[in-house]
Every structure is written in structure tokens, then in C-alpha cells.
């Protein structure tokens, strides 16, 4: 017996047998062509063996298979084209076919056929509709063939591809196979494509094949456009344990899903009909057109197919949560889903009459249009709903996909719930991407304020949740919510419930593609891999003789804000950022020298200060680069009103494009571009803003977009602790699960506690609700509310007032949320909710005196420095994260201020934020102020530069002289040398100080 064939050829044979039921062995040289007949040679999953000798390298077709298909389906055309022998007629047809594939791409040619002279020639028959026997018969005549060792080149005639897959003679996929048992992996196959497959070969031109696969027994990767060393391969793996790779397969190789599931005739037909496409994109600035071949990744194909199958089985009225990592291609997934939901049928009837897509991203709008364009006339299929009447008009005119924004969504929901109860809707929510600017967010809040109580700092997801809460989830709609970072409300509303043995009900996403898998597959970058915290050290001094008392906590916050926003601190941090970017990003050629940086600031004023500091220091360095500032609205700075457009010198709408162009390398942001902004050239982020929770994940994730030349990212954080950043990312590294549902009994408890305060009487609640619902005048409501406010002020002490108001807010928050998902209603809750919605805004908050007032006038800054800590990789726990349900409680009490003397506050502040612990501070002070400047000033090279050169060159010689002086001190003062060598901020400060001292004395 022969031992197992573990070679590459053995893997080829394995795939051929699985697809065709035969080894696909090429016929002996000189033997006449033999066409495998159907159904006799059928085996495997419905493919036929092809032969490399039948491949025409000039026209890139398997002429024997093409002729067999046309003879079987269009015999008159086949005869007229003289396909059985070489002739001018056949060559003319093949040249026409080859030209159409070059121009339109093989996918479009297969879908649409070609016109040639008087003939309309079909080159593929698609999925037949149920019961259409003629279409079924034609579909079965399609010839899916596998050819081994395809010699594809006219110039390098011995070069061969391991496998090539054809449909009706047209090539659709190529394969390079490797085998780990012979010490070669999928990455060797990728290298072979990059190194040995000349992209100028006709077979490898863009669009001629759908994709090129690199495969071994563990992994599958693909590339849609071979471009030599620049070929970009993406993973096509199932994922394993929420990470990269593929799960063990008890029935065979880990990668056999590719040929057993994905490449079956039915599955491949579906991909060609509904996913793969060659799109043309136009650069609005240059006017140049660029073509891109699109092919789904495994998780995209998987989620769309699973959603379609579930919706077809269960019909309308379901909710789906899709947790797909940022940067994982959600836009295409949504576009493919929207297009296919149109034709989805159950029992011969459409499942949905209309598809509504809620998004604030222009790119998604364009992707949906591109996708639809392949299958139908865009203008007839897609509409933009902006006003309340649009939905009705679009439905009447036959538009199937209606795109709307979050601002307009309330009107759409109203119409679905009232005018269109008999119709069925699919609502696709692209909620994880809030708009890039604050102004849009303000407009959203205004548009949504009637729908529910507005919360501070709301994200797109919060607002969507509030919309859902304010209106019962509609029974005539299915919801498909896409997010990278699901919050507890999102999980409870849209997640799939799973009852547990202990009585809790956990909610999990319907489908997930985790941050862990996306990073493991190299599809996004790990933004925590190079994270450097920067500690600030300050010294404050008291500038008044008195020693008054202040509220300690508030004072500390004010002092921190004052110090970090001080001109000197901003200048120093700006210099560190600029120097770091030049020395560690540009000098190291990050992203092929194209890297950009984002500066995240905590306020508009600070962003403007940074902008001016960057401008000044970039000019001082004679740097070719410039900064852009991004903030919303108009802001007064230095007595002048400024906008981002007035500072940048170009309109706000151009910021995203300009940052890609020279000389712009820094984007300084105040609450803009921190969510939903995709820019692969962003490499480094400088953080000077407190970040936590989802905001931290969304902000730092701006760096994670992949680029062929991007291999790492860098974060320099001046504010946050690594532990806080780790805690923010932990819930979203793997699948996020809701620990339990919100307990509705908490509403009974809250109502009882509120009733117990006796601020209102049940009769007052009933009366106000009756008046309100009957449309009574406003002046009939206020007396009831004012009477309640009077009791609140007279009968409750400060703690009672705080507790009542926070419990009332807690009741409203929890009821608004639960009322949308509970299967039952409670009239008492509903009435109290209406009543409290009016009462809460009228309840004054107990006046709180600011006991930290005046502290900034009483202090001054003596010194400020920052110190870079060690760069670290923040590791995230490899486990699904559970998050708690929406807290239903409320209540609280007034916090008593902790008073302390000004001198103590300053002393504690200075000690908290430290200073270098010199063993002999006086000696170091003497060295820094006297000895080092004297030695540097005496340096001959520096003296020459001072006398005969400009300030820039003098500074260069000064820095060299300073290094020589410090190195000479090494024997006597290792402490000072260590700080100079290891602490960039100390080195920078000493260098600037010494230069200022010595340069002036020339």
C-alpha cells in the first residue's frame, strides 16, 4: 500500500476529488480534447474536471469548455461563431469576449452576457426561480470546471498555477496551495503570488478573476488584485475561539469549508449574483477613476446568509444584534443585506415590503447605491426619506430601499406605526458611527428630544436606544442593529435572549466578529500594542499671604485643568508631540512615510491653543508639515471670534480630504472625528483628554484601520492611566454578553418609594394625565405641578430633595426603556411616567455653593514638566465579557464638601504630581544654572556657530555641545546623566534652558 500523500500535489488531488469526484488528471500530451459529460462524470459538489491543454493563453479562456456550454445552451450561436476550429470568426469573437472582460470584469460579463455583432450571447445562467423548469434546465448546463497545473503565461511558459477554477470556460479563481506537513504555510503561498506572479499577465489583470486564493491545511487568504509586492491579501477564515484561524474539523482539513461549503455550485452562484462586484470610484479632487474588485470576507458572507435564513424562516417581527469590530467592513455587510432582503420570500410571498436603512455615513449611502447598481436601476430602487411624507411617496412609487438619517428616523417610525401598519419593514441600523461633528449631534438631540429624555454626551447608539424606548418596537418590522461596542440597553433590546439554569436571562449578539479576531487576522491593528503614558509633574506656589479654605476635591480638579491648559504646559506638550512625530514616526518611515497623527484635546479652547503652539514650533523647527484644527461652531479666543475654517484657511467640509494631502500631518480635535472616522493613514495619537468606557474604545480605534504599509500604531497619552484604558476595552475584545435582563419589579419598588415622599397625591396624577391627554390648555396643568413643587421644597430637606429627584429620573429612565420590550403594560406606571415627565424639569436642584471659587486667583505655576513612561502593550483578558443590565435604581444625597487650607491643597497637589527626587538637589541646581551653561558656552564649535551662523544652526551645534558636556559629567554625576538620557522631557527642558542662557550672551 502507498503511504498517505502529504505533498502539495496530494492537497490538489484532495480538492479536485471533493469538487469533481475525480483527480482531474491532465490528459497525455497529444491526446484529443475530451469533454467531461454531465451528469455521468458528476461527483463531489457538482464540478467537472478541466484540462490545462484546453486553455488559450492569449484570450484567457478554456475554449473547449466555452464551446461545450454554448453548444448545449445556444447551438445556433455556437455554430455561427465556428468554435470547433481556429478561424478568423472565432478569433474575432474571442477578442470581443476578452475585451469585454477587461472593460467590465468577469462578474458583470457572467451576469449580463455580451453583444457580438447580431448575437446576444449568454455566458452564465443564474439561480432559477422556484418552479421554473426551463430556467432550472439551463442553470444545470453551466460548466463549473477545475484545472490543475494551469500554464497561464505566454512569456514564461513553464510557470503554472496549482489550481484554476472556471465557469463556462471563463477563469474565476486561481489557487496556490501549501502544506504545513512539508514545512510550508499559507504565507509562503502569499509570497509566491507577490514574487512569482507577474501582475502584467493578462490572467492577473484587475477584474479578470474574482479572487486569488492562498490556501494551506490551516488557513485561507485571498487577494482581489495582484500587484506584485503590493498585493494585499485578506483572511477568509471562520475564526476560532473568538480569534483568528479555523476550528478543528473532525471530518477533515480545517480549510475544507472552502471547497465543501463556499465553492459549491449554489454557493458560488449566490456570491457571483449578490456579493462580488467590480466598482468604479471617482476621486472628486483629481477626477481620476479607480476600479476595485469587491469580494466578501468569510464573516460578511456568513452574517448576511444567516440573517437571511433566519428572516426567511421566522418572518417579520424579529430583532438581531450584530457585533462586528470597527473596521470590519460593516458598510458592505449592510449593503449586501439590504439588497437581498428585497427579494426574500417565505411561502412564495415577500417577507418585507420595504427596507429602511438608518445611517449618518455618506460612504454607506454610496456603497448601497453601488451594490444596487449591479442588479437594478438605482433611481427606481433607492430613495432618501427626509420629510414625513417621503415614506408614503416612495412606497407608492415602488422604491424598495429607503435611506434615512437619525434626525429623520422619528418621522419614519411614526409613519410605519400609523399609516403603514399593513406593510412589513426591515429596519437596518448602522448605529455605532455617530456623526463626526458636534453641531450635527446637537441637531440630532433637538430632533429627538420629544421622543425621550435627553442625556448628557449621548452617542448615536444612546439616541437610537432612546428612539426605540419612546416608541414600542413595531410588530410589523424586523430590526437589524450593527455595532462594534454594544451597550447594555442595545443588548437587551436587540440581543438574542438565552434563559439560564439560575433563572437569569442573558442576551448575546446574533452574530459576532470580534476585535480579537480582527486584530489576529491583521484586518485591523492593535491600538494598545504600543501605548505610552506620560506623567505630568508640576509645582504650584501660593501668591497670597492669607491661607483660606477651599473644597478639596473641586480645587484639585480646577488646579489640574488650570495646569494642563496653561500656555507653558501646552507649549511643552506640543513640542514633545512634534518632536516625537518627526523622530519616531517620520524618521522611521511609518506607513511608507505617509503617516498622520491625531491630537485629542479636552476642550475647544485647548484645541486652539495647541493649534497655535504647533504652528509656532513647526516653524521654529523649519518643519515642512502643518496642523489642522477641528471643532464645532464659533469660539472666542484672544478677544476674536474664530472657527475651524478661519484658522485652517479652508472650509470645514474639506478637513477629511486635506489631512491626506501635504503639508498636513496633524489633526487637532475637540470632540470631532473621534467616532466613525476611517482614515488608514492615521498612525499616532496624542491624547490630552480624559477618556473612559465606549468613548475610549471609539477614540483610540481611529488608529486601527489597516493599510498595506501600516504595521503598527502608537499612542502617547498625557492624561489617562493604562488600567483605565484596559478596563474600557475589556468588554469589547471578545463577544459582549448581557449578564441579565432588567428586573421590572424595580419599577414597583421605585414607585412605592416615590409615593412614600407624598410630594404628589394619586388624584393629582390622574387629573394631570386626564387634562394632558384631552388637550387642555397649558395653564390648567401648571397649578397641579406648582402645588407639588411647593410640597417638595417645604417638606423635604436637601438630602430628601436630591433622593426624590434622582429616583424620579431613575423611574423615567427605566420605564421608558422597559415599556418598549415588556410583553405587558401597566397603566399606573404609564400615568406616573407622564406626570413625572412634567414634574421633574420643574423641581429645582438644591443650591450648591462653589467652595473652590477663587483658588485659581490665589496660586501661580512655578514649574511644569512631563515624563514619558515605558511603552507598553496593554493585554486584554481572553474571555467573553458580561456587562450589567440597565441600573433601575435611583436616589442619593447631597455630598458634603471636604474643606482644606490652600497651603495644604497646593502641597498635596505638588506631591501627587511629583518632582524628580534628586539626592543632592542644591548641587544639581548649581550644575544646571551655572556649570553646564558655562561649559557649553565655552565649546569651540558652538562659539563658531553663534558668531557665524543663524539661530537654527547654532541650536544644532548647541545640542551637540550639551551632549558632550553631559557625557563628561558621567563620572561625577550619573544621576543627572541618567535623567538626560532616559527622560526626553528633562533633556528637552535642559537643552532649551541652556540654549536661552548661552545664545543671548554672544
Amino acid at each position: 500500500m502507498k503511504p498517505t500523500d502529504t505533498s502539495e500535489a496530494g492537497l490538489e488531488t484532495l480538492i479536485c476529488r471533493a469538487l469533481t469526484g475525480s483527480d482531474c488528471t491532465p490528459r497525455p500530451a497529444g491526446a484529443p480534447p475530451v469533454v467531461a459529460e454531465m451528469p455521468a462524470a458528476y461527483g463531489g459538489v457538482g464540478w467537472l474536471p478541466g484540462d490545462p491543454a484546453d486553455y488559450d493563453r492569449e484570450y484567457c479562456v478554456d475554449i473547449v469548455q466555452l464551446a461545450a456550454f454554448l453548444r448545449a445552451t445556444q447551438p445556433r450561436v455556437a455554430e455561427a461563431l465556428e468554435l470547433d476550429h481556429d478561424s478568423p470568426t472565432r478569433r474575432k469573437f474571442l477578442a470581443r469576449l476578452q475585451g469585454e472582460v477587461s472593460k467590465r470584469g468577469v462578474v458583470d460579463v457572467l451576469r449580463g452576457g455580451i453583444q457580438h455583432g447580431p448575437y446576444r450571447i449568454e455566458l452564465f445562467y443564474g439561480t432559477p426561480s422556484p418552479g421554473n423548469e426551463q430556467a432550472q434546465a439551463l442553470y444545470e448546463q453551466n460548466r463549473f470546471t477545475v484545472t490543475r497545473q494551469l500554464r497561464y503565461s505566454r512569456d514564461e511558459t513553464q510557470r503554472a498555477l496549482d489550481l484554476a477554477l472556471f465557469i463556462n470556460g471563463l477563469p474565476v479563481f486561481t489557487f496556490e496551495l501549501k502544506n504545513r506537513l512539508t514545512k510550508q504555510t499559507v504565507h509562503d503561498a502569499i509570497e509566491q503570488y507577490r514574487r512569482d506572479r507577474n501582475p502584467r499577465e493578462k490572467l492577473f489583470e484587475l477584474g479578470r478573476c474574482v479572487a486569488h486564493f492562498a490556501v494551506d491545511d490551516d488557513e485561507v487568504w485571498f487577494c482581489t488584485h495582484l500587484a506584485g509586492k503590493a498585493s494585499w491579501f485578506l483572511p477568509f477564515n471562520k475564526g476560532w475561539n473568538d480569534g483568528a484561524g479555523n476550528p478543528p474539523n473532525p471530518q477533515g482539513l480545517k480549510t475544507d469549508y472552502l471547497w465543501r461549503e463556499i465553492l459549491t455550485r449554489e454557493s458560488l452562484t449566490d456570491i457571483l449574483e449578490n456579493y462580488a462586484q467590480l466598482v468604479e470610484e471617482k476621486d472628486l479632487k483629481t477626477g481620476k477613476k479607480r476600479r476595485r474588485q469587491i469580494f466578501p470576507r468569510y464573516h460578511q458572507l456568513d452574517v448576511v446568509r444567516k440573517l437571511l435564513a433566519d428572516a426567511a424562516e421566522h418572518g417579520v417581527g424579529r430583532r438581531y444584534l450584530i457585533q462586528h469590530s470597527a473596521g470590519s467592513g460593516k458598510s458592505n455587510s449592510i449593503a449586501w443585506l439590504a439588497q437581498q432582503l428585497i427579494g426574500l420570500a417565505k411561502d412564495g410571498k415577500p417577507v418585507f415590503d420595504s427596507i429602511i436603512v438608518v445611517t449618518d455615513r455618506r460612504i454607506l449611502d454610496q456603497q448601497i447605491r453601488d451594490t444596487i447598481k449591479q442588479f437594478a436601476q438605482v433611481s427606481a430602487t433607492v430613495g432618501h426619506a427626509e420629510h414625513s411624507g417621503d415614506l408614503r411617496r416612495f412606497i407608492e412609487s415602488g422604491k424598495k430601499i429607503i435611506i434615512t438619517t437619525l434626525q429623520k428616523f422619528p418621522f419614519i417610525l411614526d409613519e410605519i406605526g400609523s399609516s403603514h401598519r399593513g406593510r412589513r419593514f426591515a429596519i437596518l441600523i448602522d448605529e455605532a458611527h455617530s456623526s463626526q461633528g458636534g453641531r450635527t449631534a446637537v441637531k440630532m438631540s433637538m430632533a429627538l428630544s420629544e421622543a425621550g429624555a435627553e442625556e448628557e454626551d449621548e452617542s448615536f447608539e444612546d439616541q437610537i436606544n432612546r428612539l426605540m424606548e419612546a416608541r414600542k418596537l413595531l410588530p410589523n418590522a424586523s430590526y437589524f442593529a450593527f455595532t462594534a461596542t454594544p451597550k447594555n440597553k442595545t443588548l437587551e433590546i436587540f440581543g438574542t435572549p438565552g434563559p439560564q439554569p439560575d433563572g437569569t436571562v442573558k442576551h448575546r449578539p446574533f452574530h459576532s466578529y470580534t476585535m480579537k479576531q480582527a486584530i489576529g487576522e491583521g484586518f485591523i491593528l492593535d491600538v494598545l500594542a504600543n501605548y505610552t503614558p506620560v506623567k505630568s509633574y508640576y509645582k504650584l506656589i501660593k501668591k497670597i499671604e492669607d491661607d483660606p479654605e477651599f473644597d478639596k476635591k473641586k480645587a484639585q480638579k480646577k488646579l489640574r485643568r488650570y495646569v494642563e491648559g496653561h500656555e507653558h504646559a501646552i507649549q511643552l506638550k506640543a513640542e514633545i508631540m512634534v518632536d516625537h512625530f518627526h523622530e519616531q514616526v517620520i524618521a522611521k518611515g511609518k506607513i511608507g512615510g505617509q503617516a498622520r497623527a491625531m491630537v485629542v484635546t479636552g476642550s475647544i479652547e485647548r484645541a486652539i491653543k495647541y493649534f497655535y503652539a504647533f504652528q509656532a514650533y513647526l516653524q521654529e523647527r523649519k518643519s515642512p508639515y502643518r496642523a489642522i484644527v477641528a471643532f464645532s461652531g464659533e469660539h472666542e479666543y484672544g478677544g476674536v471670534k474664530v472657527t475651524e475654517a478661519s484658522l485652517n484657511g479652508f472650509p470645514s467640509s474639506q478637513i477629511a480630504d486635506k489631512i491626506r494631502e501635504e503639508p498636513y500631518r496633524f489633526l487637532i480635535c475637540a470632540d470631532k472625528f473621534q467616532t466613525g472616522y476611517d482614515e488608514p493613514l492615521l498612525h499616532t495619537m496624542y491624547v490630552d483628554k480624559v477618556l473612559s468606557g465606549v468613548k475610549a474604545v471609539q477614540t483610540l480605534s481611529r488608529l486601527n484601520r489597516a493599510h498595506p504599509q501600516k504595521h503598527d500604531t502608537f499612542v502617547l497619552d498625557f492624561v489617562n492611566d493604562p488600567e483605565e484604558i484596559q478596563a474600557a476595552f475589556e468588554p469589547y475584545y471578545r463577544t459582549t454578553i448581557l449578564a441579565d435582563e432588567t428586573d421590572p419589579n424595580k419599577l414597583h419598588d421605585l414607585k412605592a418609594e416615590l409615593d412614600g415622599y407624598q410630594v404628589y397625591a394619586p388624584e393629582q396624577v390622574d387629573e394631570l394625565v386626564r387634562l394632558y391627554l384631552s388637550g387642555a390648555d397649558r395653564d390648567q396643568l401648571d397649578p397641579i405641578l406648582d402645588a407639588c413643587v411647593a410640597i417638595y421644597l417645604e417638606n423635604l430637606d436637601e438630602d430628601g430633595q436630591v433622593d426624590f429627584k434622582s429616583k424620579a429620573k431613575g423611574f423615567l429612565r427605566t420605564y421608558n426603556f422597559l415599556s418598549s420590550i415588556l410583553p405587558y403594560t401597566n397603566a399606573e406606571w404609564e400615568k406616573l411616567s407622564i406626570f413625572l415627565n412634567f414634574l421633574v424639569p420643574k423641581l429645582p436642584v438644591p443650591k450648591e455653593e462653589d467652595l473652590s471659587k477663587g483658588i485659581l486667583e490665589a496660586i501661580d505655576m512655578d514649574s511644569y514638566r512631563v515624563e514619558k513612561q515605558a511603552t507598553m502593550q496593554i493585554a486584554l483578558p481572553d474571555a467573553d465579557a458580561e456587562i450589567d443590565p440597565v441600573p433601575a435604581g435611583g436616589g442619593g444625597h447631597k455630598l458634603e464638601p471636604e474643606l482644606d487650607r490652600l497651603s495644604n491643597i497646593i502641597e498635596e497637589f505638588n506631591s501627587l504630581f511629583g518632582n524628580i527626587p534628586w539626592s543632592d538637589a542644591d548641587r544639581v541646581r548649581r550644575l544646571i544654572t551655572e556649570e553646564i551653561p558655562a561649559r557649553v558656552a565655552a565649546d569651540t564649535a558652538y562659539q563658531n556657530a553663534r558668531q557665524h551662523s543663524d539661530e537654527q544652526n547654532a541650536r544644532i551645534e548647541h545640542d551637540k555641545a550639551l551632549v558632550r558636556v553631559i557625557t563628561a559629567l558621567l563620572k561625577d554625576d550619573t544621576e543627572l546623566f541618567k535623567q538626560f538620557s532616559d527622560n526626553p522631557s528633562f533633556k528637552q527642558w535642559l537643552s532649551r534652558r541652556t540654549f536661552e542662557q548661552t545664545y543671548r550672551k554672544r
Side-chain angles (χ1 to χ4, degrees):
M1 276 180 71
K2 277 187 180 178
T4 303
D5 186 351
T6 59
S7 65
E8 261 176 50
L11 185 54
E12 278 178 38
T13 303
L14 199 72
I15 295 172
C16 284
R17 285 177 185 166
L19 288 172
T20 70
S22 77
D23 290 357
C24 306
T25 309
R27 66 178 182 267
V34 177
V35 180
E37 290 304 325
M38 16 239 269
Y42 252 48
V45 290
W47 288 66
L48 299 167
D51 196 292
D54 300 335
Y55 180 68
D56 187 306
R57 302 179 200 195
E58 185 175 349
Y59 297 113
C60 293
V61 292
D62 182 324
I63 192 72
V64 172
Q65 299 298 337
L66 175 63
F69 167 73
L70 290 175
R71 271 199 305 273
T73 58
Q74 300 148 84
R76 198 165 60 82
V77 171
E79 191 179 336
L81 296 176
E82 302 177 11
L83 292 177
D84 289 330
H85 59 277
D86 189 17
S87 69
T89 305
R90 184 172 88 166
R91 282 198 297 274
K92 198 171 178 183
F93 162 65
L94 291 177
R96 168 74 176 162
L97 175 60
Q98 192 255 100
E100 285 291 278
V101 173
S102 286
K103 186 167 71 180
R104 292 160 48 199
V106 70
V107 174
D108 195 55
V109 167
L110 285 170
R111 279 184 195 151
I114 65 168
Q115 296 278 4
H116 177 58
Y119 304 110
R120 157 121 199 119
I121 302 164
E122 298 297 341
L123 291 157
F124 179 68
Y125 289 97
T127 305
S129 50
N132 187 333
E133 290 178 14
Q134 186 186 359
Q136 181 67 37
L138 285 168
Y139 173 70
E140 285 171 5
Q141 292 298 327
N142 288 321
R143 303 184 71 83
F144 291 71
T145 56
V146 186
T147 300
R148 292 180 73 163
Q149 295 301 313
L150 182 77
R151 289 194 165 84
Y152 58 86
S153 176
R154 284 183 299 169
D155 303 323
E156 299 177 85
T157 53
Q158 293 311 301
R159 288 203 182 273
L161 290 155
D162 290 336
L163 290 177
L165 273 53
F166 294 79
I167 295 178
N168 301 329
L170 294 176
V172 285
F173 298 114
T174 70
F175 280 69
E176 289 293 353
L177 306 175
K178 296 297 170 198
N179 189 341
R180 286 173 190 257
L181 294 179
T182 56
K183 305 282 193 298
Q184 285 204 305
T185 71
V186 68
H187 299 291
D188 294 301
I190 290 171
E191 274 311 300
Q192 192 173 357
Y193 268 121
R194 286 176 174 157
R195 195 181 57 244
D196 298 343
R197 304 294 173 235
N198 186 345
R200 285 191 285 276
E201 290 284 355
K202 180 65 73 179
L203 181 63
F204 301 139
E205 73 180 9
L206 178 65
R208 185 160 293 274
C209 287
V210 182
H212 306 278
F213 282 106
V215 183
D216 70 9
D217 38 310
D218 267 17
E219 293 189 41
V220 179
W221 290 65
F222 74 93
C223 176
T224 55
H225 184 195
L226 291 181
K229 287 180 183 174
S231 303
W232 198 9
F233 278 78
L234 294 172
F236 193 84
N237 297 314
K238 285 183 162 188
W240 164 236
N241 198 21
D242 262 352
N246 287 300
N249 177 7
Q251 268 78 48
L253 297 182
K254 286 183 184 180
T255 48
D256 75 0
Y257 62 89
L258 179 63
W259 48 92
R260 292 192 187 279
E261 297 170 26
I262 304 299
L263 296 178
T264 64
R265 287 165 62 94
E266 295 73 23
S267 169
L268 182 51
T269 300
D270 173 48
I271 290 170
L272 293 176
E273 288 179 331
N274 295 307
Y275 298 88
Q277 54 185 330
L278 186 66
V279 297
E280 194 171 77
E281 296 163 341
K282 187 175 181 180
D283 188 315
L284 296 174
K285 294 190 294 293
T286 63
K288 284 184 182 174
K289 290 181 179 176
R290 189 174 77 98
R291 298 198 307 166
R292 206 158 53 89
Q293 175 74 49
I294 292 176
F295 187 78
R297 293 182 54 220
Y298 184 87
H299 71 272
Q300 295 174 311
L301 192 62
D302 192 51
V303 71
V304 175
R305 284 179 169 177
K306 282 179 175 165
L307 287 168
L308 291 169
D310 196 88
E313 183 184 348
H314 296 109
V316 78
R318 306 275 286 186
R319 287 173 252 156
Y320 306 93
L321 177 64
I322 299 93
Q323 182 184 358
H324 279 197
S325 162
S328 62
K330 285 194 288 290
S331 305
N332 272 331
S333 301
I334 292 170
W336 286 321
L337 179 63
Q339 182 270 322
Q340 291 177 74
L341 283 170
I342 297 171
L344 194 67
K346 184 179 192 308
D347 305 326
K349 294 177 184 168
V351 176
F352 302 109
D353 299 307
S354 299
I355 318 300
I356 293 170
V357 182
V358 185
T359 181
D360 264 20
R361 290 196 289 168
R362 279 176 306 178
I363 188 166
L364 181 59
D365 184 357
Q366 190 55 47
Q367 277 164 321
I368 289 173
R369 288 171 166 274
D370 285 340
T371 303
I372 299 303
K373 201 186 294 176
Q374 309 291 316
F375 317 102
Q377 193 182 345
V378 173
S379 58
T381 311
V382 181
H384 285 261
E386 296 193 353
H387 307 290
S388 53
D390 289 350
L391 185 66
R392 192 181 309 107
R393 198 168 63 256
F394 287 152
I395 286 169
E396 284 164 4
S397 64
K399 288 190 176 15
K400 293 290 187 185
I401 295 181
I402 296 152
I403 300 172
T404 187
T405 60
L406 181 65
Q407 298 98 311
K408 314 297 177 190
F409 191 41
F411 306 124
I412 302 293
L413 276 179
D414 278 342
E415 280 200 65
I416 293 174
S418 54
S419 318
H420 302 287
R421 286 194 185 282
R423 301 185 68 84
R424 295 175 305 276
F425 295 87
I427 299 174
L428 279 59
I429 304 168
D430 171 36
E431 44 62 90
H433 290 268
S434 61
S435 65
Q436 289 170 12
R439 192 178 295 170
T440 323
V442 171
K443 283 184 188 166
M444 281 183 205
S445 300
M446 287 166 61
L448 300 179
S449 56
E450 290 178 5
E454 214 174 304
E455 290 175 24
E456 252 183 78
D457 204 18
E458 278 194 319
S459 70
F460 198 115
E461 184 175 336
D462 294 326
Q463 291 163 336
I464 281 288
N465 286 333
R466 184 150 57 80
L467 275 176
M468 296 295 112
E469 291 160 17
R471 291 162 173 77
K472 269 280 190 194
L473 289 167
L474 302 163
N476 57 326
S478 283
Y479 295 84
F480 302 81
F482 288 76
T483 179
T485 48
K487 295 182 177 178
N488 47 14
K489 278 186 182 179
T490 317
L491 272 162
E492 192 157 354
I493 293 175
F494 299 113
T496 307
Q500 303 298 305
D502 62 359
T504 59
V505 180
K506 295 187 176 183
H507 286 233
R508 57 169 55 243
F510 176 83
H511 193 278
S512 61
Y513 176 72
T514 64
M515 188 190 296
K516 178 188 172 187
Q517 186 177 348
I519 290 169
E521 294 187 334
F523 194 66
I524 62 172
L525 286 97
D526 182 358
V527 297
L528 303 183
N530 297 294
Y531 178 90
T532 306
V534 181
K535 280 212 163 146
S536 305
Y537 297 96
Y538 335 97
K539 186 154 184 208
L540 300 176
I541 53 171
K542 184 160 72 83
K543 65 176 186 183
I544 57 172
E545 283 187 29
D546 197 10
D547 201 7
E549 287 191 333
F550 293 105
D551 179 344
K552 188 170 158 185
K553 276 191 179 168
K554 283 193 173 174
Q556 293 280 13
K557 273 188 181 171
K558 279 192 178 177
L559 292 178
R560 179 91 198 245
R561 250 199 324 269
Y562 162 75
V563 167
E564 292 294 359
H566 195 282
E567 298 281 358
H568 173 65
I570 296 280
Q571 184 187 340
L572 180 63
K573 287 184 282 190
E575 288 177 14
I576 288 168
M577 293 171 190
V578 170
D579 288 344
H580 174 272
F581 186 77
H582 283 80
E583 291 158 16
Q584 300 297 322
V585 181
I586 294 299
K588 292 185 177 178
K590 299 293 183 182
I591 320 186
Q594 303 174 74
R596 265 65 181 166
M598 178 181 276
V599 182
V600 179
T601 70
S603 68
I604 292 176
E605 185 179 11
R606 201 175 287 188
I608 297 169
K609 282 181 180 176
Y610 267 116
F611 177 70
Y612 283 121
F614 265 70
Q615 271 192 323
Y617 190 58
L618 286 165
Q619 282 175 345
E620 186 186 321
R621 267 193 72 118
K622 292 193 166 44
S623 168
Y625 306 125
R626 292 291 170 266
I628 294 173
V629 68
F631 58 88
S632 297
E634 198 173 50
H635 189 80
E636 191 166 309
Y637 184 78
V640 181
K641 290 225 162 119
V642 295
T643 63
E644 57 186 9
S646 70
L647 292 173
N648 293 325
F650 52 80
S652 304
S653 58
Q654 294 179 16
I655 290 177
D657 293 327
K658 288 282 187 185
I659 193 65
R660 300 175 64 94
E661 300 170 9
E662 299 297 354
Y664 301 109
R665 291 298 181 108
F666 302 94
L667 182 58
I668 301 167
C669 304
D671 268 335
K672 274 190 99 171
F673 295 99
Q674 279 159 55
T675 54
Y677 173 55
D678 293 354
E679 180 45 74
L681 295 180
L682 273 182
H683 174 276
T684 298
M685 185 175 286
Y686 302 109
V687 181
D688 192 12
K689 176 185 180 179
V690 175
L691 295 174
S692 62
V694 172
K695 275 275 163 69
V697 179
Q698 290 177 333
T699 301
L700 296 185
S701 292
R702 294 312 101 217
L703 297 180
N704 71 14
R705 300 308 193 263
H707 182 283
Q709 293 172 283
K710 186 172 175 181
H711 310 296
D712 57 13
T713 64
F714 192 86
V715 178
L716 201 60
D717 193 331
F718 290 80
V719 178
N720 304 286
D721 289 329
E723 294 77 20
E724 290 164 358
I725 298 298
Q726 181 180 359
F729 272 79
E730 275 175 6
Y732 309 111
Y733 184 56
R734 288 187 53 164
T735 304
T736 313
I737 300 165
L738 184 73
D740 193 10
E741 293 180 329
T742 306
D743 181 3
N745 283 325
K746 288 180 179 167
L747 281 174
H748 288 302
D749 300 340
L750 275 173
K751 182 177 181 301
E753 288 173 30
L754 288 167
D755 291 350
Y757 273 105
Q758 298 186 359
V759 168
Y760 53 80
E763 304 77 44
Q764 289 173 307
V765 174
D766 289 347
E767 178 65 7
L768 182 127
V769 171
R770 188 186 59 72
L771 288 168
Y772 169 66
L773 294 178
S774 63
D777 289 339
R778 161 79 192 265
D779 59 7
Q780 290 182 261
L781 305 183
D782 277 74
I784 300 170
L785 296 168
D786 292 340
C788 295
V789 172
I791 294 170
Y792 168 85
L793 290 172
E794 287 167 24
N795 295 1
L796 304 187
D797 60 13
E798 282 193 346
D799 276 355
Q801 290 175 16
V802 170
D803 191 49
F804 179 86
K805 186 165 184 178
S806 55
K807 279 191 164 75
K809 283 181 168 179
F811 180 88
L812 288 172
R813 189 173 55 242
T814 310
Y815 178 69
N816 281 342
F817 170 59
L818 282 177
S819 63
S820 65
I821 54 178
L822 281 178
Y824 57 87
T825 54
N826 183 311
E828 295 304 312
W829 288 349
E830 181 67 35
K831 286 190 288 187
L832 184 59
S833 163
I834 293 171
F835 182 81
L836 291 177
N837 259 318
F838 287 108
L839 180 63
V840 167
K842 276 183 164 273
L843 297 177
V845 180
K847 279 206 176 121
E848 197 177 325
E849 191 183 348
D850 184 359
L851 297 174
S852 66
K853 200 172 177 185
I855 191 161
L856 296 185
E857 287 74 33
I859 55 102
D860 211 341
M861 188 154 80
D862 181 48
S863 65
Y864 175 94
R865 66 183 181 82
V866 293
E867 189 174 298
K868 247 167 84 178
Q869 309 296 294
T871 298
M872 62 180 72
Q873 176 170 12
I874 298 178
L876 299 173
D878 192 3
D880 288 347
E882 289 196 356
I883 55 177
D884 291 327
V886 179
H893 60 88
K894 188 180 175 189
L895 293 171
E896 290 300 322
E898 185 188 344
L899 296 177
D900 204 350
R901 299 227 165 256
L902 174 60
S903 53
N904 293 342
I905 290 171
I906 290 176
E907 189 182 335
E908 186 181 345
F909 188 79
N910 288 334
S911 68
L912 270 176
F913 300 107
N915 219 322
I916 298 174
W918 302 108
S919 54
D920 185 348
D922 290 337
R923 183 176 54 77
V924 170
R925 198 173 293 114
R926 193 176 63 253
L927 278 169
I928 289 171
T929 55
E930 298 170 21
E931 199 168 325
I932 291 173
R935 288 196 193 185
V936 169
D939 185 275
T940 314
Y942 178 41
Q943 283 180 343
N944 286 337
R946 278 162 61 197
Q947 288 166 7
H948 305 299
S949 195
D950 62 6
E951 187 175 344
Q952 180 81 8
N953 285 310
R955 180 66 190 260
I956 292 167
E957 284 304 327
H958 161 273
D959 289 352
K960 290 179 186 173
L962 181 60
V963 170
R964 288 193 285 271
V965 169
I966 295 287
T967 308
L969 282 171
L970 176 58
K971 288 196 269 316
D972 306 322
D973 206 305
T974 51
E975 199 175 30
L976 186 67
F977 180 80
K978 188 174 186 312
Q979 285 295 333
F980 187 80
S981 305
D982 299 348
N983 185 343
S985 58
F986 176 76
K987 179 180 179 179
Q988 192 174 34
W989 170 81
L990 182 61
S991 176
R992 188 175 66 237
R993 197 179 185 289
T994 311
F995 183 68
E996 284 169 0
Q997 275 184 284
T998 55
Y999 190 69
R1000 283 199 222 99
K1001 292 180 181 172
R1002 355 177 233 180

